[in-house]
């Protein structure tokens, strides 16, 4: 079932979460063990991130380094199929522009259609570590809006090099990313919203936000979207902080701020256990306020660890 239909049919705020494919070489059990503890909260859908290749320099001789491409977390499509058929829950694969030509994107979408997967979260992807700017692949998309357009075309039967008849058309529900604190490359929130609107006009039916810790920023973002004519559901994304390293890693990686009150509490933390306590308490507080304000879904980023999300979900669902 499509994410948008889950939202339309819901009588209360829904629960969903995102998982990462495990490191290459690990089995599907690693995925099941991060999903199982969250099943009792009836997730409406589970997102699976996509991780593109990274480059490494490998010594081939004393005086010669070779640039090689390595994928550490492959398996998004396979994991989605496993989730769909084991748990009978909708899986939402993330599909990115980076590293894909348009033909490769089309092949990935055809695989998803074969597997009966109805949803895709369409993203551009970040620059490869070490590169300053995002560089599309030869013949690939430069922006998520172009990817959304390709998926919308496929839904109309328009493939790269041919058109097909009605009964074989895909029917993907497409979601996109939104940034309450602005995407780090956007010159200002106004231009960011203009491009977000382009993604919706290209066919995106809902938005999932970047992680945030200040609900005011989410409420302001929703308000600005509505004033800009972006009327689709906007799903807030939350991530409980669980360790000391998150205090620097999360704001730096996701280009977000901690609100003063949370910052003050984190300042006093001296161990992972203390951060965990503050992080879970903060997420519960955030989720409760969001639910009181009738958000469509509360979406959690697990980053491969479900313990803290389980504690938060147990307090609110
Ligand atoms: P876009 O919407 O293409 O925007 C990128 C930037 O370009 C923005 O600054 C925007 O304002 C600007 N822009 C957009 N269109 C135009 C235009 N036509 N002309 C000029 N400027 C334009 N990354 C992964 O690699 N894998 C994942 O699984 C993944 N999952 C994510 C899930 C969520 C919910 C979120 C919020 C992010 C996720 N990301 C993931 C990270 C995401 O790929 C990065 O944030 C990336 O830098 C931007 O992706 P986007 O889809 O928002 O890009």
């Amino acid at each position: 079932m499509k994410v948008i239909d889950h939202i339309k049919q819901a009588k209360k705020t829904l629960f969903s979460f995102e998982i990462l494919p495990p490191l290459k070489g690990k089995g599907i059990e690693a995925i099941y063990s991060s999903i199982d503890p969250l099943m009792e909260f009836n997730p409406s859908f589970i997102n699976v991130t996509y991780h593109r290749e990274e480059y490494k320099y490998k010594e081939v001789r004393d005086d010669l380094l070779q640039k090689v491409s390595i994928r550490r977390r492959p398996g998004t499509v396979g994991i989605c199929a496993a989730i769909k058929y084991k748990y009978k829950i909708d899986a939402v694969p993330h599909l990115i522009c980076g590293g894909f030509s348009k033909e490769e994107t089309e092949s990935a979408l055809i695989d998803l259609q074969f597997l009966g997967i109805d949803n895709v979260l369409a993203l551009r992807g970040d620059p490869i570590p070490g590169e300053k700017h995002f560089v599309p692949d030869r013949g690939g998309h430069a922006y998520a809006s172009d990817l959304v357009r390709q998926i919308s075309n496929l839904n109309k039967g328009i493939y790269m090099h041919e058109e097909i008849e009605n009964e074989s058309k895909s029917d993907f529900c497409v979601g996109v990313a939104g940034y309450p604190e602005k995407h780090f490359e956007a010159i200002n929130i106004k231009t960011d919203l203009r491009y977000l609107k382009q993604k919706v006009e290209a066919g995106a039916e809902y938005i999932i936000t970047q992680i945030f810790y200040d609900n005011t920023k989410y409420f302001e973002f929703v308000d600005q979207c509505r004033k800009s004519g972006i009327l689709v559901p906007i799903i807030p994304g939350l991530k409980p902080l669980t360790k000391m390293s998150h205090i620097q890693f999360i704001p730096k990686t996701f280009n977000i701020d901690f609100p003063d009150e949370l910052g003050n509490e984190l300042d006093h933390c001296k161990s992972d256990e203390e951060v965990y306590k503050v992080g879970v308490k903060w997420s519960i507080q955030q989720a409760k306020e969001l639910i009181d304000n009738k958000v469509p879904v509360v979406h959690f980023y697990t980053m491969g660890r479900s313990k803290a999300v389980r504690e938060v979900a147990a307090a609110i669902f």
Side-chain angles (χ1 to χ4, degrees), residues 87-251:
Y87 297 101
K88 315 277 179 270
I89 288 185
D90 288 296
V92 184
H94 292 192
L95 203 57
I96 63 171
C97 304
F100 283 82
S101 66
K102 292 185 193 103
E103 278 83 0
E104 286 163 342
T105 298
E106 187 171 288
S107 297
L109 289 164
I110 291 168
D111 284 351
L112 293 172
Q113 190 190 0
F114 278 138
L115 291 166
I117 289 170
D118 303 321
N119 297 286
V120 177
L121 192 75
L123 302 143
R124 187 198 68 180
D126 280 324
I128 297 178
E131 281 184 352
K132 273 196 174 153
H133 305 288
F134 175 82
V135 182
D137 250 46
R138 187 189 287 247
H141 297 300
Y143 296 107
S145 51
D146 301 323
L147 174 56
V148 177
R149 224 162 275 123
Q150 182 176 9
I151 304 171
S152 297
N153 276 340
L154 213 72
N155 285 349
K156 291 182 200 131
I158 305 169
Y159 283 63
M160 290 286 301
H161 306 297
E162 60 184 339
E163 291 199 20
I164 61 158
E165 296 304 319
N166 277 354
E167 66 272 15
S168 327
K169 281 182 200 168
S170 62
D171 190 17
F172 290 111
C173 168
V174 185
V176 289
Y179 302 83
E181 297 178 56
K182 184 182 90 59
H183 184 258
F184 70 102
E185 292 166 24
I187 49 174
N188 57 36
I189 187 81
K190 218 169 156 188
T191 42
D192 212 19
L193 287 176
R194 194 165 73 235
Y195 294 128
L196 179 57
K197 193 171 179 191
Q198 281 185 4
K199 294 196 273 194
V200 174
E201 285 167 350
E205 293 184 80
Y206 66 96
I207 294 163
I208 302 189
T209 74
Q210 181 60 281
I211 297 171
F212 61 89
Y213 292 87
D214 184 349
N215 283 355
T216 318
K217 302 228 168 114
Y218 167 82
F219 295 131
E220 283 170 7
F221 176 68
V222 173
D223 201 40
Q224 284 172 311
C225 284
R226 302 309 182 222
K227 284 184 180 137
S228 312
I230 300 168
L231 304 176
V232 297
I234 301 178
I235 299 175
L238 301 184
K239 156 83 191 135
L241 301 165
T242 56
K243 44 188 176 179
M244 289 294 282
S245 59
H246 282 165
I247 298 176
Q248 289 192 335
F249 172 81
I250 295 219

Side-chain angles (χ1 to χ4, degrees), residues 17-19 35 39 43-48 83 89-92:
F17 60 92
E18 171 191 292
I19 57 164
I35 295 176
M39 285 305 292
S44 298
F45 53 92
I46 300 174
N47 281 51
V48 184
I83 291 172
I89 288 185
D90 288 296
V92 184

